[in-house]
Amino acid sequence: MKIGIVCYPTYGGSGIVATELGMDLAERGHQVHFISTSLPARLNVTLTNIYFHKVNVESYPLFEFQPYSLALSTIIVNVVETYGLDLIHVHYAIPHAYAAYFAKQILKEKGIDLPVITTLHGTDITLVGSHPAYKPAVEFSINKSDRVTSVSEDLKKETFEFFNITNEIEVIPNFIDNSQFPTKSECDCVDDCFDRTEKIVIHVSNLRKVKRVEDVISVFYEIQKEVDARLIIVGEGPEWERVSEQINMLGINDKVKNLGKVNDLYRILCSADLFLLPSEKESFGLAALEAMAARVPVVSSNAGGIPEVNIEGETGFLLPIGDVKGMAEKSILLLKDENMLKEFKHNAKERALLFDKKKILPLYEQLYYSVLEKVK
Ligand code: GMT
C-alpha cells in the first residue's frame, strides 16, 4: 500500500505513535509518506520506503495567523496525485481531519477517491476539541472520516459524550516496541546513569499544566523524607519555571535533576525504580507504558485511559487526581519493600508486552485493507 501519515512533529505522544507506526509499515514493505511541518522527532527518513513532505505555511503580511489547514490540504492533494497514495491516516483531529476532508473533496473533483482515517489522541478531544471555537468543525470531520480510531476506551467514551458522533469509533490502543528496550540483564548493568544506592524516581512529560508536575515534586518531597531517593525529570515545557521555584522553596535542589530532552530515554528509564504520572487528563499515557516496558512500576492518577494501562496493585498504584498524600504513601510503600518492588517491576514488563507493536500494528494494517476493500 501507499500510505500518507499526517502528524505533529513534536515530542507529544501522537507524533511518536504516528512515527513508529509509519516506520513499521515501511519495514513491512508499504510505501509511507509523512506529511508534517518538520521532520518528526523519532523519524528515520533514511529508511527505504519512507518519504517526508514538509507542510510549508507561507507567511504573508496580510495574514495575522498563517493558514496551516489550507497549506496541509494542498500538500495532501499534491502528494496523493504525485505518488498515487491509497489512503491518508491523520493523527490528531485538529485540524488534520478537517484538512484531510477538504483534500478528499478536491481530489473527488479530479476523479480520485481518497479514504481518510482519523486517529484521536486525547487533547484533540478532551481539551481543545470541545471548545466552542472548534467543536462543530471537529465533530464534522470525525463524522466525515472514512474510519475513526481512538487510543483508549475512555477516549472513545469521552468523544461520544462531548460530540454528536454518527460514525463508529474503533479502539486501537497505543503500542510499544519492546525489542528497543534494554533486556533485564542489560538494565542491571546500566550503572553509569545514577547512584545505584539511591532509589530513582522518574517523571517524563512535556511539562504542561495538564501533567500536574507540581504534584510530582510534592510527592517526591514526601518520598525523600522516608527513602534515600533522587528525582529525575525528563522533558521540557512551560511548567518548568514554576516547578523549579517549588523545588527551590522545598530545598530539594540537590535531589532533583532535570535532564531536559534526551536521546537515550529507554536506557535512562531502565535505571529507574518508580515512574510518577499524576496527570489531570491522559487519554492513554504512553509515557507510563514506556516506563513499564523498561520494568518501571507506575504511581499515577486514575485520569482518563491510565487505568487501561497501569493496573492497581499489580503494575503500580492509581489514586484520584491531586491526591498527593495517597500517591506519596503508595510510593513509599513500594520503594521500601524490595520484594513488592521486584514483583511490580516484573508485572510492569509483562503488562507492556501485551501492548507490543507486533500485536497492535497489524490492527492498523487490517483497518487500511478493510477501508480499501470498501471503496473498491
Ligand atoms: O499529553 C500530551 O501532552 C501530548 C498528547 C499528544 O497529543 O501528543 O498526548 C496524547 O496522546 C498520547 C498518544 O496517544 C497519549 O498517550 C496521551 O495520553 C495523550 N495526552 C492527553 O490526553 C493529555
Side-chain angles (χ1 to χ4, degrees):
M1 277 181 281
K2 290 183 180 176
I3 301 156
I5 291 187
V6 176
C7 67
Y8 284 112
T10 45
Y11 276 82
S14 63
I16 293 173
V17 169
T19 307
E20 298 287 347
L21 169 64
M23 290 200 294
D24 194 79
L25 289 164
E27 238 174 64
R28 286 165 182 259
H30 302 294
Q31 196 181 92
V32 183
H33 293 259
F34 280 88
I35 301 175
S36 194
T37 47
S38 61
L39 205 60
R42 293 193 189 176
L43 181 64
N44 180 357
V45 82
T46 63
L47 290 178
T48 322
N49 288 339
I50 295 273
Y51 296 74
F52 171 67
H53 310 277
K54 188 171 171 4
V55 187
N56 273 315
V57 191
E58 287 300 319
S59 68
Y60 182 68
L62 189 66
F63 301 150
E64 194 181 346
F65 304 104
Q66 311 317 321
Y68 171 61
S69 316
L70 212 60
L72 181 56
S73 291
T74 305
I75 190 162
I76 293 175
V77 169
N78 290 344
V79 174
V80 169
E81 282 192 298
T82 310
Y83 294 91
L85 299 193
D86 294 306
L87 57 91
I88 190 104
H89 184 175
V90 299
H91 290 260
Y92 214 85
I94 306 168
H96 297 167
Y98 192 70
Y101 171 77
F102 283 100
K104 184 182 172 90
Q105 297 312 306
I106 296 167
L107 288 160
K108 203 181 212 171
E109 295 288 309
K110 297 167 182 255
I112 300 170
D113 190 358
L114 177 71
V116 174
I117 294 150
T118 298
T119 290
L120 310 174
H121 280 276
T123 42
D124 49 352
I125 299 305
T126 54
L127 290 178
V128 205
S130 53
H131 190 280
Y134 300 112
K135 193 170 181 254
V138 174
E139 194 171 273
F140 174 84
S141 28
I142 292 175
N143 286 334
K144 289 291 178 186
S145 297
D146 291 275
R147 297 295 276 269
V148 183
T149 77
S150 147
V151 297
S152 65
E153 290 291 346
D154 185 79
L155 182 61
K156 174 177 172 176
K157 193 172 124 270
E158 290 220 34
T159 310
F160 279 111
E161 275 167 19
F162 286 154
F163 303 95
N164 184 12
I165 299 298
T166 52
N167 220 340
E168 276 177 32
I169 299 181
E170 182 178 340
V171 175
I172 301 186
N174 285 334
F175 54 86
I176 194 88
D177 183 358
N178 281 283
S179 73
Q180 281 183 30
F181 285 78
T183 60
K184 185 170 181 313
S185 53
E186 281 165 353
C187 258
D188 289 342
C189 293
V190 178
D191 51 10
D192 55 337
C193 271
F194 310 109
D195 176 358
R196 278 299 177 128
T197 60
E198 306 170 311
K199 289 285 185 265
I200 302 296
V201 179
I202 195 162
H203 171 76
V204 182
S205 80
N206 48 20
L207 310 188
R208 294 190 305 123
K209 212 168 172 40
V210 73
K211 303 293 172 183
R212 295 185 71 99
V213 195
E214 71 279 12
D215 286 4
V216 173
I217 307 300
S218 303
V219 171
F220 177 73
Y221 180 67
E222 296 304 321
I223 294 176
Q224 56 86 44
K225 287 184 194 165
E226 301 271 337
V227 182
D228 192 10
R230 178 168 300 274
L231 173 65
I232 303 297
I233 297 183
V234 178
E236 283 175 8
E239 284 296 287
W240 175 244
E241 215 168 298
R242 213 159 63 87
V243 163
S244 58
E245 270 174 33
Q246 188 189 0
I247 297 168
N248 277 338
M249 259 174 47
L250 294 170
I252 50 170
N253 309 58
D254 57 333
K255 296 202 165 188
V256 183
K257 197 167 175 183
N258 180 359
L259 304 185
K261 284 180 184 169
V262 297
N263 290 325
D264 52 353
L265 174 64
Y266 295 172
R267 195 178 64 91
I268 292 164
L269 275 175
C270 91
S271 312
D273 299 289
L274 179 66
F275 188 90
L276 294 178
L277 190 69
S279 305
E280 182 94 38
K281 285 202 178 290
E282 205 71 69
S283 68
F284 182 88
L286 186 61
L289 181 60
E290 289 189 314
M292 287 158 63
R295 296 181 169 74
V296 186
V298 177
V299 168
S300 66
S301 70
N302 56 8
I306 300 180
E308 293 169 50
V309 182
N310 186 23
I311 305 300
E312 170 68 22
E314 204 176 288
T315 61
F317 294 103
L318 295 101
L319 285 302
I321 298 161
D323 185 358
V324 167
K325 189 167 167 280
M327 289 184 199
E329 277 170 11
K330 293 295 186 189
S331 301
I332 293 165
L333 177 79
L334 192 54
L335 292 172
K336 275 188 168 175
D337 184 336
E338 284 302 334
N339 286 335
M340 191 197 277
L341 187 58
K342 199 170 158 208
E343 191 191 324
F344 275 46
K345 283 185 175 188
H346 170 81
N347 295 345
K349 182 68 196 179
E350 290 297 302
R351 180 99 190 125
L353 290 171
L354 300 179
F355 292 89
D356 194 85
K357 73 169 191 176
K358 288 200 189 77
K359 292 198 169 87
I360 310 292
L361 291 183
L363 303 178
Y364 280 114
E365 210 177 19
Q366 283 156 21
L367 178 79
Y368 297 164
Y369 281 125
S370 77
V371 174
L372 292 179
E373 200 53 44
K374 213 173 105 191
V375 297
K376 252 188 219 164

